[in-house]
Amino acid sequence: MFAQRMSLQEREKVLGLVLVTPAVAIILSLILYPIIYNLYLSFFDVNPMAGNTYVGLENHRNVVTDPTFWKSVFTTIVYVFSTTIGTTLMGLLVALAMNRKFPFRGVVRSLVLFPYVAPVISVVFSWQFFFDPVNGIFMDLAYDKLGLFSSRFNLIGSPSTAVWVAIAFSIWKNFPFSYLMILARLQAIDETLYEAAEIDGASGWHKFRFITFPEVYFVMGAIILLRVIWNFNKFEEVFLLTENVRVLSVYTYYKAFVGTMELGQGASLAVIQFILLIVFILFYVKRVLKW
Amino acid sequence: MVKKTSFLRKALFFLLVLSIVLFSIFPFIQMISISLKYPAEWGDPSLIPKNINLEAYKELLNIGQETKNVPESVLTLLEETPDLSEEQREAILSKYRSTGDVFPFLRYFLNSFLLSFFAALVTVIFAIFGAYSFSRLRFPGRSVVQRGVLFVYMFGGILLLIPLYRMFVSFGWISIPQGAFVSLMIIYIVQTLPVSLYMLGNYFRTIPFSIEEAALIEGASRFGTIWRIIIPLSSAAIGTVFIYCFMIAWNEYLFASVFLKNYTELYTLPMGLKALFTSKNAIWDRIMAASVLTATPVILLFMSIQKNLAGGLTEGGVKE
């Protein structure tokens, strides 16, 4: 009897390992190994057709002494900061609105999710058309109707204005995620808290400040962290909308795959980008989430 | 007095909801509107087309394109000479058939579909076994696997792109079209597997073990219980994970653009649309019609699983 139970446990152990092995093997060989391999490649002059030549820290040195790299770091910081704040606040606003009862709420709740689920490629052209200097509605409003500008121009054409379009696009695309997370938390708040506050004569703002806000604080902290991680690495949402905004991912893509393919420098850029992200996460987790 | 302010509040709230909805779906409305407008109307800010133009959709879906570029005189000639054989007619018409500037939308659609479907299928199969293993069976290293799965949240595609590209080049897969296509499929599997494992693992834990226990006592094997109990009980969750994987692959551009760069006939929809836009054929009605046709399947799929997915999202189960 005892021996049989042992063998049953043993069998379970073996079966567990057998079943999980394919998944783990795939993750180890195609995620973990490439990350280490990327670190290795960053010390080499990489030529896909011929071999790799060891160059030490030359790639890293080339990257950090290039002023366009620092410009792209700055663009990335502006992009990540604005989009994170924007998506979170927009998500909060929409969640507060959707938490109330109103007619057709079900339909409205699913329409609001459309930007998040539609493929990036299928919505960028509509945004480009919106800002198109000749046909777009934006210029029609801003120039013809309101007279804000002295001429029609392409807002997506120059890097300094295109970054703001990219930020607006990202907020539009991603706010539904923040909204869903915050709404889930809002629905879990005990109604009696609000009733008690009303009896005590609390105003709408006070109810938000002293009941709602403390309840959603940690959810917001978590979605801000996720948003920073995701938007820091974001490629498609920027590159497909406009090729003028060189955030770090786009910068790396150009370095590694366009023109003289500098794969070694690309690898070194990816390492630097990863280190920047880790530093931020450690700081944020300690300071804001107070873990 | 009280009534008046509450009416004002209601109106303001209604306005807020309306502007949220408009903000969310305006680009979609505009997309449909432009895809149906004639070029002369593009500059008109009104969203309702005066005349409906279906030419863009017909061209993308290859409907009625056979005689489009054939001159009138040739068509009447063909009609007036009924004694021509089918082959002769075909030969005359094929001279006028344009090949270069037609956008092979259907082929890109098929490429995207095959890639996404098989990647999602393989992911789901691996994920079912993997997730079952670490949610039900005890083995050394179980918790490491469970937590390690989420570690992948930290890595964006760009960090993996260069090493994976270098690896697949050295396998010699990128230099042949089939190899490049399969490499891309493997990459989509890898990218969706961790989150699928996590989502399914969470779901399997909610199925009471006693159901399985009964089957095991009756003499069913572990595989038998997975096949007869776990899979049927979690079919909704498995469907959701499948569609999630499908959507990730359907939307992906970065890896596709690097791996399939040299194989125009293998382009996925995102690559094809981008190429169409950069080429001289960039005509707004075609671009917008292609956008509508690319977004529609994804939005329909999403509507079908909305309830489950929204639950999964709030459990932190979705990676971008």
Side-chain angles (χ1 to χ4, degrees):
Chain A
M1 185 64 201
F2 183 72
Q4 207 181 350
R5 188 183 288 166
M6 273 299 288
S7 82
L8 210 79
Q9 267 182 13
E10 283 290 309
R11 283 223 310 262
E12 190 151 281
K13 202 193 275 178
V14 172
L15 183 69
L17 285 171
V18 167
L19 289 183
V20 88
T21 300
V24 170
I26 290 173
I27 291 174
L28 284 184
S29 60
L30 292 169
I31 293 179
L32 213 59
Y33 171 72
I35 288 166
I36 297 161
Y37 186 51
N38 184 66
L39 189 63
Y40 168 88
L41 283 179
S42 71
F43 295 103
F44 286 81
D45 183 18
V46 183
N47 184 336
M49 299 311 147
N52 306 336
T53 346
Y54 180 72
V55 289
L57 285 171
E58 201 187 294
N59 285 329
H60 304 82
R61 201 181 305 125
N62 282 340
V63 166
V64 295
T65 52
D66 187 347
T68 56
F69 164 73
W70 292 104
K71 232 177 109 186
S72 127
V73 171
F74 178 71
T75 313
T76 312
I77 292 172
V78 171
Y79 177 78
V80 172
F81 183 79
S82 318
T83 52
T84 305
I85 301 287
T87 25
T88 312
L89 289 183
M90 184 76 197
L92 179 65
L93 177 76
V94 177
L96 288 172
M98 297 299 148
N99 199 31
R100 293 220 210 161
K101 282 203 176 71
F102 59 86
F104 300 111
R105 187 168 70 164
V107 182
V108 169
R109 276 186 180 176
S110 24
L111 286 180
V112 162
L113 297 179
F114 273 30
Y116 192 64
V117 286
V120 179
I121 192 75
S122 73
V123 288
V124 287
F125 299 119
S126 190
W127 272 72
Q128 281 175 345
F129 184 83
F130 185 73
F131 291 106
D132 183 71
V134 183
N135 299 311
I137 296 172
F138 181 78
M139 276 298 152
D140 184 71
L141 272 178
Y143 171 71
D144 290 16
K145 305 258 158 69
L146 299 173
L148 291 179
F149 306 115
S150 56
S151 68
R152 284 175 173 250
F153 65 101
N154 190 355
L155 211 62
I156 303 187
S158 85
S160 59
T161 51
V163 70
W164 296 105
V165 178
I167 288 167
F169 177 72
S170 170
I171 293 172
W172 173 80
K173 187 92 182 64
N174 294 310
F175 85 86
F177 179 80
S178 314
Y179 142 71
L180 274 181
M181 303 282 279
I182 296 172
L183 182 66
R185 191 70 200 80
L186 285 179
Q187 285 170 336
I189 299 177
D190 191 353
E191 276 297 320
T192 54
L193 285 177
Y194 291 108
E195 283 161 21
E198 257 162 48
I199 292 167
D200 289 345
S203 68
W205 164 249
H206 277 121
K207 279 190 276 181
F208 174 76
R209 173 67 189 81
F210 294 108
I211 302 172
T212 316
F213 188 71
E215 292 275 351
V216 295
Y217 179 79
F218 280 99
V219 159
M220 284 177 61
I223 54 181
I224 286 175
L225 180 63
L226 281 176
R227 185 50 53 206
V228 168
I229 296 173
W230 287 337
N231 280 9
F232 194 79
N233 292 323
K234 206 57 111 187
F235 175 80
E236 272 120 343
E237 281 172 25
V238 181
F239 182 77
L240 293 177
L241 183 70
T242 159
E243 295 178 10
N244 292 316
V245 177
R246 300 281 167 99
V247 292
L248 275 172
S249 308
V250 178
Y251 184 76
T252 307
Y253 182 80
Y254 273 102
K255 260 272 180 318
F257 295 101
V258 177
T260 56
M261 297 175 52
E262 295 279 0
L263 286 173
Q265 280 197 34
S268 132
L269 270 165
V271 172
I272 293 171
Q273 190 175 342
F274 184 62
I275 292 171
L276 286 176
L277 186 58
I278 293 284
V279 169
F280 170 80
I281 290 171
L282 290 178
F283 170 81
Y284 182 85
V285 165
K286 253 202 150 129
R287 278 303 178 80
V288 180
L289 295 183
K290 301 186 185 98
W291 282 353
Chain B
M1 185 63 204
V2 174
K3 240 187 171 175
K4 206 172 179 189
T5 49
S6 82
F7 175 75
L8 195 73
R9 273 176 164 237
K10 260 191 183 155
L12 278 177
F13 181 72
F14 176 74
L15 217 68
L16 174 72
V17 171
L18 192 72
S19 45
I20 289 171
V21 171
L22 263 184
F23 176 70
S24 309
I25 61 169
F26 180 78
F28 297 97
I29 298 172
Q30 177 178 258
M31 196 152 108
I32 296 168
S33 152
I34 301 297
S35 74
L36 295 172
K37 275 183 179 179
Y38 281 100
E41 274 187 67
W42 288 344
D44 182 357
S46 159
L47 287 170
I48 300 154
K50 290 196 189 74
N51 301 299
I52 301 283
N53 171 21
L54 288 172
E55 208 40 55
Y57 287 98
K58 280 189 190 154
E59 201 175 316
L60 291 180
L61 298 174
N62 211 5
I63 299 166
Q65 298 299 302
E66 290 79 19
T67 54
K68 195 184 156 201
N69 293 320
V70 184
E72 282 291 316
S73 56
V74 178
L75 282 178
T76 44
L77 191 77
L78 279 177
E79 262 170 42
E80 284 160 7
T81 45
D83 48 329
L84 278 173
S85 74
E86 268 309 303
E87 281 159 41
Q88 283 168 314
R89 274 168 199 279
E90 193 53 31
I92 293 169
L93 284 177
S94 67
K95 276 185 195 155
Y96 296 98
R97 204 164 286 152
S98 58
T99 45
D101 63 336
V102 174
F103 172 61
F105 180 82
L106 290 175
R107 189 196 297 152
Y108 297 158
F109 196 94
L110 188 68
N111 288 342
S112 269
F113 182 81
L114 288 177
L115 202 54
S116 311
F117 183 85
F118 285 106
L121 188 68
V122 175
T123 305
V124 165
I125 292 170
F126 282 134
I128 288 173
F129 289 122
Y132 181 80
S133 166
F134 69 66
S135 65
R136 276 288 193 268
L137 303 164
R138 275 166 215 292
F139 56 89
R142 186 175 80 143
S143 60
V144 179
V145 172
Q146 227 169 318
R147 284 193 212 114
V149 154
L150 279 184
F151 188 55
V152 188
Y153 264 89
M154 305 271 299
F155 308 115
I158 197 85
L159 185 67
L160 295 169
L161 179 61
I162 294 165
L164 284 173
Y165 175 73
R166 188 69 187 79
M167 280 161 70
F168 282 104
V169 165
S170 58
F171 299 158
W173 290 16
I174 306 292
S175 45
I176 46 167
Q178 297 89 334
F181 202 67
V182 172
S183 314
L184 198 57
M185 200 180 285
I186 293 174
I187 281 166
Y188 292 162
I189 294 168
V190 175
Q191 290 206 321
T192 49
L193 190 55
V195 177
S196 307
L197 280 170
Y198 178 78
M199 282 163 81
L200 280 184
N202 275 353
Y203 191 82
F204 289 168
R205 263 186 284 267
T206 65
I207 301 174
F209 182 62
S210 52
I211 304 175
E212 266 177 272
E213 211 171 18
L216 286 173
I217 290 167
E218 298 280 326
S221 68
R222 280 284 184 179
F223 279 105
T225 60
I226 294 179
W227 184 245
R228 296 218 178 76
I229 294 168
I230 294 290
I231 293 181
L233 278 182
S234 47
S235 55
I238 292 171
T240 305
V241 170
F242 179 89
I243 291 174
Y244 159 77
C245 298
F246 184 92
M247 279 161 67
I248 295 275
W250 184 266
N251 297 347
E252 210 279 337
Y253 175 83
L254 178 61
F255 280 90
S257 81
V258 170
F259 280 63
L260 301 177
K261 201 195 240 161
N262 301 323
Y263 308 112
T264 334
E265 75 282 6
L266 290 179
Y267 274 16
T268 56
L269 269 180
M271 286 190 77
L273 258 73
K274 173 102 173 134
L276 173 70
F277 189 69
T278 354
S279 76
K280 283 199 181 106
N281 308 339
I283 299 171
W284 287 115
D285 58 346
R286 279 201 232 169
I287 288 274
M288 293 298 169
S291 297
V292 171
L293 293 174
T294 308
T296 309
V298 179
I299 288 180
L300 288 181
L301 277 178
F302 169 76
M303 301 285 253
S304 68
I305 58 159
Q306 199 189 347
K307 278 230 169 75
N308 302 324
L309 194 71
L313 273 169
T314 46
E315 278 152 34
V318 170
K319 176 180 184 281
E320 286 179 18

